Amino acid sequence: MAKTSPSPKPAAAKQVDVLKLAAEIIECLKYRVGKEPSVATRHDWLTASIKVVRDRVIDRWIDSTRRAYDQNGKRVYYLSMEFLIGRLMRDAFSNLGLMDSMREALAIHDVDIDIIAALEPDAALGNGGLGRLAACFMESMASVDIPAHGYGIRYVHGLFRQEIHDGWQVELPETWLEHGNPWEFERREGAYEVGFGGKVASITSKDGRLERHVWKPNERFLAVAFDTPVVGWRGKRVNTLRLWSAMPVDPILLDAFNAGDHIGALRESNKAEALTRVLYPADSHQAGQELRLRQEYFFSAASIQDIVRRHLSQNESLSSLPEKAAIHLNDTHPAIAVAELMRLLMDVHGHDFDEAWHITRHTFAYTNHTLLPEALESWPVPLFERLLPRHMQIIYAINAEILLKARSSDDFTEDQVRSISLIHEDGERRVRMGNLAFVGAFSVNGVSALHTDLMKETVFADLHKLYPNRINNKTNGITPRRWLLQCNPGLVGLLRETIGDRFMDDIDALRDLDAYADDTAFQERFAAVKRANKEQLVGLVADRMGIRLDPSALFDVQIKRIHEYKRQLLNIIETVALYDQIRSRPEKDWLPRVKFFAGKAAPSYHNAKLIIKLANDVARVINSDPSVRGLLKVVFLPNYNVSMAEVIIPAADLSEQISTAGLEASGTGNMKFALNGALTIGTLDGANVEIRECVGDENIVIFGLKADEVAARRAEGHNPRAVIEASQELRQALEAISSGVFSPDQPDLYKDLIGGLYEHDWFMVAVDFDSYADAQRRVDGIWRESPRWYGMTIRNTARVGWFSSDRTIRQYANEIWKVPA
Ligand code: 26W
């Protein structure tokens, strides 16, 4: 399949390039990998190809770094516990315009670039939405030319590998570094010490006045930087993603070693290794383990030291930090950075509390990504105090300041003051990281219009009252390079022929496609592209799962983390209902459909794992039932990751965005599907609301309760049992599942899961069922009228350019960070 290159070069110049690249690959193979072509493995070719291109990145990287230094302008620092990057090779080659040349250069050596590209492991240093957003933002910041550094953790094991055994999720360790990582540069010289525990000493002057505090940790580790270049579109700018790895200060404890305790001598080493070894796999409830808090502090402290060092290398004092640095907190995971900067300002650089607080509050900005109460981070005070005693003191001092401000206003009741406090006082005392991030930041943003409104009304209602100008909205976006140009070359080719190349640099130009939405010839070509993408997915499913699919069926896709609020269960129940109907009315003209599911469940999330098992059980029964005659197929693709998304999304006809309204902060998969010409079936939740505004109500299928209706029902305590009794289709499907039709060996397996729908139906699965089933039949109707279907999906592609992360990043730059973009 033809891949696109961003800047077609004159043929002769390109030929020179290709020959030069081909020679460089051989040289690299020889001198840097240490192999002759005849004995090189595919991995060796991959390494050599990456290094050849990486060399071309380095000049631009150094140039970008020097430009930032010379200008001494404001820099952006994006602190994130997660970066869900995926593969980097195609991204870098394509952004540098080298994709076609590298393909040809490798072909000269009889190497197929697609085969070696598939060997590159996904860098899965994230769980889902939040981590992927950080990766899109890094690419966009480089593309719109913002001097930015990403800071995170170099986990040895990223998100676990998922296998499905007998329908159950099994978690296996992920080993992305097994063959080394040709993209990264280790910076041993740039290591910082990070401490834990110990005591706080007070230094007093001769006259007995308290001068300052000194924290004397009793554990110390080194944070070593690993840098990865992030190449922007057309190579304009190359930014740095700096990931920290923990190392022992003393690799071998000589005293112990000399005393013959050879194992004990490695104690420090083992502890350090444990610190950055593995990513926590829960994306919506806080694990609450000490190691997690250690990880948060470790990477925040290393990052803040690095930022302070860089600032002081160019500026006299830290008083000017807010003019030179915007430090962005990606959710509360790095919120401890607020207290760490305060500590450095006061205890190391001699600022008094007021100065330090002024500098801090004008330097940090914070994004909230979820309103789910179980996902809001808080730490027990005793744990916090033991691990970070000085930070605990600082948090108390900040709290005193905030509570005073609230109490000095007549408008605040004692309840409201309590809700603003950084310390949760009912029962076990806990430090609230959301409140810390909120008060420590000059800007607090949500990730879609609806989510931002809900933030103001719910979690942060009282803080919003105290700081009414702080909360703002920045609707999420996705990078169109990875999520269109790279993943859908067929569509890109068609777009270039139809509306020219302008959209590749200015995504809003996709609008020109609107004029072709009803053009029959264009619709046919658009459909042919989709068909080819579906055939590719059919191949993947055949290879990995041995299931044969019909590419002319409607491909109905729900791929994302498995969570009750995302309501994969609603989709599965509707699938079971459809299966019932097909069997009871086989003579009807049913529409062939394939239901795709993929996603991981947090290992400790019981119901989510049960939902995976159910999807697999339903798939097994339906796929082997001859009476549905292949009209309905269900596929659960194991081990969903970024690379898999890049194959599935371009092949989707229908995008399932069906979360309980009010619970999905934004969603970003919804944007990727729409951009690649899928129709959305969804609730008015997260960014779906804004997608509807962009594509038009007539080009999206909306169903279900709205956010305020969900809240009202939850508050009044509704009666789901009555709802179920009233819907025959739903009742039958639920009875089938809970009586063991899909789990004959364990007939009770789904009793509790389904029982919950009768009891409380917290996520409104039963309540929204009829409306969802109706919406699905509307989808059937549209699919049958092919010109209407393609008119709608073409308009989706044409009208969602606004969801580019370049737009999002420009808004962050102009409205929050105040840096030129
Ligand atoms: C403390 C455990 C934990 C870990 C991760 C709690 C919460 C998280 C994340 C905030 C969850 C997350 O990824 N949220 C998603 O963020 C996306 C990017 O803004 C949104 O599009 C999704 O709607 C939101 O669920």
Side-chain angles (χ1 to χ4, degrees), residues 658-671:
I658 60 177
S659 51
T660 315
L663 301 188
E664 187 71 273
S666 158
T668 45
N670 46 4
M671 302 166 187

Side-chain angles (χ1 to χ4, degrees), residues 221 248 251 263-275 277:
F221 300 96
I263 302 279
L266 296 174
R267 199 177 55 232
E268 295 292 293
S269 234
N270 296 338
K271 265 189 147 169
E273 229 174 80
L275 198 49
R277 191 170 193 92

Side-chain angles (χ1 to χ4, degrees), residues 92-113:
F93 288 16
S94 154
N95 277 6
L96 287 171
L98 287 173
M99 197 65 211
D100 288 349
S101 308
M102 280 300 282
R103 175 181 300 279
E104 288 173 37
L106 282 161
I108 292 176
H109 304 305
D110 248 349
V111 175
D112 181 335
I113 197 168

Side-chain angles (χ1 to χ4, degrees), residues 80-83 85 123-126 150-158 174 176-188 223-228 241-247 272-279 295 298-299:
S80 180
M81 203 68 180
E82 305 190 5
F83 288 92
I85 298 163
L125 309 184
Y151 282 111
I153 295 178
R154 181 179 179 272
Y155 303 105
V156 175
H157 303 288
E174 183 281 338
W176 69 297
L177 293 171
E178 206 168 32
H179 295 273
N181 175 5
W183 289 110
E184 70 186 7
F185 291 83
E186 183 177 349
R187 312 280 189 207
R188 289 247 170 190
V224 176
F226 286 75
D227 288 350
T228 298
L241 174 61
R242 174 160 280 193
L243 301 178
W244 300 106
S245 181
M247 310 254 170
E273 229 174 80
L275 198 49
T276 48
R277 191 170 193 92
V278 59
L279 165 75
Q295 286 185 339
F298 173 77
F299 104 93

Side-chain angles (χ1 to χ4, degrees), residues 82 128-131 133 282-287 292 331 333 369-370 375 377 447 476 565-566 664-668:
E82 305 190 5
L130 162 135
L133 186 76
D283 80 325
S284 49
H285 73 273
Q286 92 142 359
R292 166 81 181 194
D331 216 278
H333 318 148
H369 294 267
T370 180
E377 285 192 298
V447 290
N476 282 166
Y565 85 80
K566 295 180 189 278
E664 187 71 273
S666 158
T668 45

Side-chain angles (χ1 to χ4, degrees), residues 6 57 60-61 64 91-97 136-146 229-240 479 481 486 505 806:
V57 172
R60 294 168 195 252
W61 196 11
S64 300
D91 204 46
F93 288 16
S94 154
N95 277 6
L96 287 171
C136 282
F137 279 7
M138 285 305 297
E139 199 267 357
S140 275
M141 288 189 287
S143 294
V144 308
D145 204 14
I146 294 174
V230 179
V231 185
W233 177 232
R234 298 209 192 269
K236 226 189 257 167
R237 160 175 283 282
V238 180
N239 280 332
T240 304
T479 166
R481 268 73 64 186
Q486 292 158 35
D505 293 280
D806 295 352

Side-chain angles (χ1 to χ4, degrees), residues 142-434:
S143 294
V144 308
D145 204 14
I146 294 174
H149 298 249
Y151 282 111
I153 295 178
R154 181 179 179 272
Y155 303 105
V156 175
H157 303 288
L159 186 62
F160 65 84
R161 195 157 57 79
Q162 178 195 57
E163 284 187 5
I164 302 295
H165 294 179
D166 186 30
W168 293 103
Q169 167 174 296
V170 174
E171 302 95 25
L172 298 146
E174 183 281 338
T175 54
W176 69 297
L177 293 171
E178 206 168 32
H179 295 273
N181 175 5
W183 289 110
E184 70 186 7
F185 291 83
E186 183 177 349
R187 312 280 189 207
R188 289 247 170 190
E189 75 287 359
Y192 297 98
E193 265 193 37
V194 176
F196 292 97
K199 293 199 178 66
V200 180
S202 315
I203 312 262
T204 43
S205 62
K206 286 201 185 94
D207 57 5
R209 268 189 318 114
L210 177 71
E211 266 189 346
R212 58 195 180 95
H213 295 277
V214 183
W215 175 29
K216 307 219 159 117
N218 63 1
E219 280 182 82
R220 291 175 307 141
F221 300 96
L222 284 180
V224 176
F226 286 75
D227 288 350
T228 298
V230 179
V231 185
W233 177 232
R234 298 209 192 269
K236 226 189 257 167
R237 160 175 283 282
V238 180
N239 280 332
T240 304
L241 174 61
R242 174 160 280 193
L243 301 178
W244 300 106
S245 181
M247 310 254 170
V249 174
D250 298 315
I252 296 183
L253 300 175
L254 276 180
D255 286 353
F257 191 84
N258 292 337
D261 179 8
H262 299 141
I263 302 279
L266 296 174
R267 199 177 55 232
E268 295 292 293
S269 234
N270 296 338
K271 265 189 147 169
E273 229 174 80
L275 198 49
T276 48
R277 191 170 193 92
V278 59
L279 165 75
Y280 273 93
D283 80 325
S284 49
H285 73 273
Q286 92 142 359
Q289 269 110 341
E290 176 176 333
L291 180 60
R292 166 81 181 194
L293 179 57
R294 283 176 177 261
Q295 286 185 339
E296 294 186 357
Y297 177 65
F298 173 77
F299 104 93
S300 301
S303 308
I304 295 295
Q305 288 187 66
D306 202 33
I307 293 166
V308 164
R309 178 204 45 83
R310 190 173 295 109
H311 183 81
L312 290 177
S313 75
Q314 283 193 281
N315 303 279
E316 297 240 308
S317 90
L318 289 168
S319 303
S320 57
L321 188 65
E323 289 107 72
K324 300 291 181 186
I327 307 180
H328 206 95
L329 304 174
N330 197 24
D331 216 278
T332 57
H333 318 148
I336 186 61
V338 168
E340 175 67 3
L341 180 59
M342 285 292 285
R343 185 183 72 84
L344 294 185
L345 286 165
M346 294 191 296
D347 300 357
V348 179
H349 297 279
H351 294 267
D352 66 23
F353 179 89
D354 290 342
E355 277 169 5
W357 189 225
H358 177 91
I359 294 168
T360 301
R361 272 186 307 129
H362 289 87
T363 302
F364 284 101
Y366 153 56
T367 300
N368 170 280
H369 294 267
T370 180
L371 301 173
L372 297 182
E374 64 272 28
L376 300 177
E377 285 192 298
S378 68
W379 296 101
V381 167
L383 168 64
F384 214 101
E385 207 146 35
R386 173 164 60 77
L387 232 45
L388 302 168
R390 179 61 184 136
H391 300 79
M392 194 67 243
Q393 291 178 341
I394 291 169
I395 287 170
Y396 280 130
I398 297 171
N399 203 30
E401 182 94 357
I402 305 304
L403 296 183
L404 185 69
K405 179 173 159 77
R407 287 207 170 100
S408 58
S409 145
D410 294 339
D411 291 357
F412 281 80
T413 64
E414 243 339 275
D415 270 355
Q416 289 177 322
V417 172
R418 254 200 300 281
S419 94
I420 283 166
S421 174
L422 304 188
I423 312 290
H424 172 94
E425 304 271 2
D426 303 336
E428 183 190 36
R429 300 176 72 231
R430 301 179 74 96
V431 183
R432 292 177 172 140
M433 302 308 272

Side-chain angles (χ1 to χ4, degrees), residues 133 136-137 475-479 668 671 802-805 807-808:
L133 186 76
C136 282
F137 279 7
T475 300
N476 282 166
I478 56 171
T479 166
T668 45
M671 302 166 187
W802 190 77
F803 295 95
S804 163
S805 46
R807 183 272 310 157
T808 313

